[in-house]
Amino acid sequence: MGREIVTLQLGHLASFVGTHFWNTQAAYLESQENELDHDVLYRTGETRKGEKTYTPRLVICDLKGSLGSLKPTSELYEAADQQVNTWRGKVETFESDRHAKNAFLQALDAEDASTAKPSYASDLSSSVQVWSDFNSIYYHPHTIFELTTHVHGDEHNRFLLYSRGRDVYDELAMVDHLLDDRIRPFMEESDNPQGFQVLADTFDGFAGVNAAMMEALQEEYPKKARVVFGISPPDRSHMSREHQMLQDVNQALSLHCMSEAASLYIPLRAPPPAAFGMQAPWNRRLRAQANMYEWSGYLASGIDSVTMPFRLRNDARLDMHDLSVLLNPRASTATAAMAMALPLPLPVDAGVGSLDKIFHVARDGRFDAAWDLTLQTPYDMMDRNATSAFGLFRGISSVLETQPIIPGEPRCTPTQVKDAINMFMRNNGPMMSHSSVINAPFPVHASFPSLFDHTVTPSGLVDDTRTKESPSVLVSQFALYVRLHSSPAIRKLYDSAATTLSSTARGSWVLNDFSEGQSALDRSDFVAIAETLREYSEGYGDVHGLGSNSNDGDDNMD
């Protein structure tokens, strides 16, 4: 049947998000989740010993020294015979300190699985240094590619610039090592691949690597979808103004390239720490996310959920191409925004009336239960004049089934849930919209971070009678809402990026940094790209009438 997807992870933050994503896929496999066709993301293989394997169709690109205790080549495929050394001369061995395995990785290695804990969130939150510290899966031998030009954590040779990323792509012949040696074999063994699902850092040198890679895929596979999730760090308060300016330029250049080379581009940034300091409906059930391990898990739950239709077995499936056409119908509005409500606040008390409260939208169009991960607003602006939207609702009926039975207060039926969702989308969304309802809630597995406060129950319901003094519980599942939308609000991303490049062209010192190397950019390049971004901005329609959604004021927090 086909429908295979090749996944790319380009950058360290992207691989943090990706590791949570793949650990979640492993949880689906273990639970034998029957809504999903796992062959969409996975491939069968064979070790040198003839043993069957099932590994992701995945390419990971990160800096040298970023793998921690993980070996570049999967242990599944290591040669059985040791290499024979015929050298008779003197041999000196220089060995660096090994990256110690934490309690979670030690539990994975243990032969007795009964000793494993149901959650390692607390241990991992305090011990994770690199993404492999919480990785639970085996990879194909061609999955990992290290950039040898830069070392992870090296402050003297930092991988900071978009232009440097493009140079490294050429210097390391990545078109050969990534496209020809890794991606092409995955594509050729597939029956009818949908395309490429990409997680990419867009704030540093990997922005340039991603740009060059997407242009190569566009040329090589023009009819295959390229859905790109751009990852940026939520907290920049510790960075110098100069470093922030470099990131802004990198992201502006990424936006320009993805507008031309991606079928769909969704820039994402988790809520910044300042956003948790002000209690609002979207964060009322959440703990502040303290580190990269935690906020990357938050993003991964949204990415996993919004891409689930790509790998559904039933008629509710939606291919990557179809989603791209829905949100980018003229192939000139590739950028979309993503909002998420996590968890959906499903109350312990039963009743249809509770659904009306959950899906309440204010008169000005704000859905306050969600945070917009692209526009950085503490709500999802439900704009009926928007071009198009895709909404996904998962786990609602399953979580509501755990409500206690109260005489005279029947639980909501799946039909009532679907009716409430249809009314929510019909009354608030644009004419060109599509929605999916997934029965399975998000599974909180052993390596997933602890995101919720004391009011969330083990089954994912909300119980406001619980206090901070109540016994702590482990949340095992939760319901959530994710929405992708293309609307005039996207214009502020383009306008902001154009302003960044224009001011850089007027004499910022940043211009000097980008003027070196084979992929150097000069003042005229910045001016031309800024003008192109303004032209793309106009394709998203008129911003008038959007009210607070077009305001760059207090809703945006850095």
Side-chain angles (χ1 to χ4, degrees):
M1 186 175 179
R3 302 179 61 243
E4 299 90 346
I5 292 173
V6 176
T7 304
L8 308 182
Q9 289 169 202
L10 308 175
H12 201 63
L13 269 59
S15 285
F16 260 78
V17 177
T19 300
H20 282 299
F21 176 88
W22 291 110
N23 286 355
T24 302
Q25 307 314 305
Y28 294 143
L29 285 168
E30 188 174 337
S31 66
Q32 298 182 334
E33 171 56 55
N34 58 14
E35 279 188 288
L36 299 176
D37 180 0
H38 299 293
D39 289 345
V40 171
L41 294 178
Y42 283 77
R43 63 180 297 280
T44 56
E46 195 174 274
T47 69
R48 290 183 174 89
K49 297 179 182 180
E51 299 168 334
K52 296 295 183 183
T53 61
Y54 199 53
T55 55
R57 201 176 290 104
L58 168 67
V59 175
I60 297 174
C61 183
D62 205 345
L63 301 182
K64 184 178 180 180
S66 63
L67 301 183
S69 60
L70 183 67
K71 297 180 180 180
T73 301
S74 172
E75 296 176 13
L76 286 176
Y77 295 87
E78 287 184 334
D81 300 327
Q82 296 296 321
Q83 184 178 3
V84 177
N85 184 7
T86 59
W87 173 253
R88 300 304 178 189
K90 182 180 178 181
V91 175
E92 291 185 75
T93 302
F94 298 90
E95 187 171 313
S96 59
D97 294 336
R98 291 187 177 182
H99 190 87
K101 290 190 174 184
N102 55 38
F104 173 68
L105 296 180
Q106 291 176 28
L108 292 179
D109 292 340
E111 294 183 4
D112 185 4
S114 63
T115 61
K117 297 191 298 184
S119 175
Y120 288 86
S122 179
D123 300 305
L124 293 172
S125 183
S126 60
S127 66
V128 165
Q129 299 177 45
V130 293
W131 53 266
S132 64
D133 286 339
F134 58 99
N135 170 67
S136 67
I137 67 171
Y138 289 109
Y139 296 112
H140 185 273
H142 288 170
T143 284
I144 297 174
F145 179 80
E146 290 184 283
L147 268 62
T148 55
T149 55
H150 294 73
V151 177
H152 177 71
D154 184 356
E155 293 295 321
H156 301 291
N157 184 28
R158 302 174 72 183
F159 195 46
L160 292 179
L161 303 178
Y162 173 96
S163 53
R164 178 60 184 149
R166 280 188 170 273
D167 282 350
V168 167
Y169 182 87
D170 292 334
E171 291 170 14
L172 298 181
M174 293 176 69
V175 70
D176 298 326
H177 294 299
L178 292 188
L179 182 57
D180 293 339
D181 297 345
R182 288 167 168 79
I183 295 172
R184 196 184 308 282
F186 284 150
M187 292 293 284
E188 289 178 349
E189 70 183 13
S190 301
D191 292 330
N192 184 28
Q194 297 182 53
F196 305 93
Q197 173 179 274
V198 184
L199 310 178
D201 292 358
T202 56
F203 61 94
D204 60 6
F206 280 104
V209 172
N210 177 51
M213 189 75 257
M214 290 308 102
E215 289 170 353
L217 292 178
Q218 182 183 35
E219 181 178 352
E220 189 71 19
Y221 302 101
K223 296 183 179 180
K224 300 301 178 183
R226 299 169 300 282
V227 177
V228 182
F229 294 92
I231 311 298
S232 299
D235 184 14
R236 307 200 306 178
S237 60
H238 62 286
M239 297 179 189
S240 66
R241 179 55 188 158
E242 291 77 9
H243 193 180
Q244 292 183 36
M245 289 174 65
L246 286 177
Q247 290 195 355
D248 290 343
V249 172
N250 289 331
Q251 289 171 327
L253 295 172
S254 288
L255 182 62
H256 170 253
C257 183
M258 292 304 99
S259 298
E260 299 176 349
S263 307
L264 195 60
Y265 177 50
I266 306 155
L268 300 177
R269 185 155 58 101
F276 290 93
M278 295 173 283
Q279 191 175 72
W282 74 268
N283 68 8
R284 189 178 174 193
R285 314 297 174 181
L286 292 172
R287 295 171 52 251
Q289 295 154 16
N291 50 55
M292 193 187 304
Y293 158 74
E294 293 185 353
W295 65 252
S296 60
Y298 175 87
L299 289 184
S301 63
I303 293 173
D304 168 64
S305 299
V306 82
T307 59
M308 283 187 84
F310 300 161
R311 48 191 195 274
L312 287 175
R313 293 182 184 275
N314 56 37
D315 292 338
R317 72 189 187 205
L318 183 71
D319 283 355
M320 300 175 77
H321 172 77
D322 297 329
L323 180 64
S324 299
V325 170
L326 173 68
L327 295 167
N328 183 18
R330 298 183 300 276
S332 60
T333 53
T335 302
M338 179 170 132
M340 178 167 69
L342 182 160
L344 264 179
L346 306 177
V348 166
D349 57 302
V352 180
S354 61
L355 288 180
D356 297 333
K357 295 178 182 178
I358 293 167
F359 293 118
H360 173 70
V361 176
R363 288 185 177 181
D364 62 0
R366 297 186 183 195
F367 181 42
D368 291 332
W371 173 277
D372 196 304
L373 296 157
T374 302
L375 303 176
Q376 294 295 291
T377 54
Y379 50 81
D380 182 10
M381 179 57 72
M382 310 296 291
D383 178 19
R384 290 187 61 82
N385 296 316
T387 306
S388 53
F390 169 70
L392 183 132
F393 306 78
R394 72 176 295 189
I396 298 176
S397 294
S398 298
V399 172
L400 288 177
E401 286 176 358
T402 68
Q403 288 177 326
I405 298 176
I406 301 175
E409 294 187 17
R411 296 170 176 162
C412 293
T413 65
T415 299
Q416 289 171 326
V417 170
K418 286 188 176 181
D419 288 345
I421 290 171
N422 288 335
M423 182 171 292
F424 174 80
M425 292 294 289
R426 184 170 59 250
N427 291 345
N428 301 292
M431 292 297 292
M432 289 180 58
S433 64
H434 183 89
S435 62
S436 290
V437 179
I438 308 293
N439 293 325
F442 187 90
V444 180
H445 42 83
S447 67
F448 193 75
S450 177
L451 299 178
F452 307 115
D453 74 354
H454 55 276
T455 63
V456 182
T457 70
S459 66
L461 294 169
V462 169
D463 184 358
D464 285 325
T465 66
R466 289 182 53 81
T467 67
K468 293 181 180 179
E469 288 70 38
S470 300
S472 61
V473 299
L474 288 177
V475 178
S476 63
Q477 62 179 21
F478 58 88
L480 57 77
Y481 153 91
V482 189
R483 192 175 78 104
L484 300 176
H485 60 97
S486 178
S487 74
I490 303 292
R491 291 192 63 168
K492 73 177 184 179
L493 297 180
Y494 283 87
D495 295 341
S496 176
T499 299
T500 293
L501 298 183
S502 294
S503 31
T504 300
R506 284 195 295 268
S508 168
W509 62 269
V510 173
L511 189 62
N512 295 329
D513 289 344
F514 285 88
S515 64
E516 300 177 359
Q518 295 297 314
S519 303
L521 297 166
D522 60 23
R523 181 173 285 102
S524 63
D525 293 320
F526 279 93
V527 170
I529 295 172
E531 184 58 34
T532 302
L533 287 170
R534 292 188 182 95
E535 293 173 1
Y536 281 131
S537 174
E538 294 174 359
Y540 289 87
D542 192 354
V543 297
H544 296 298
L546 281 176
S548 56
N549 192 45
S550 61
N551 182 11
D552 290 337
D554 296 336
D555 290 331
N556 299 305
M557 289 163 281
D558 205 346

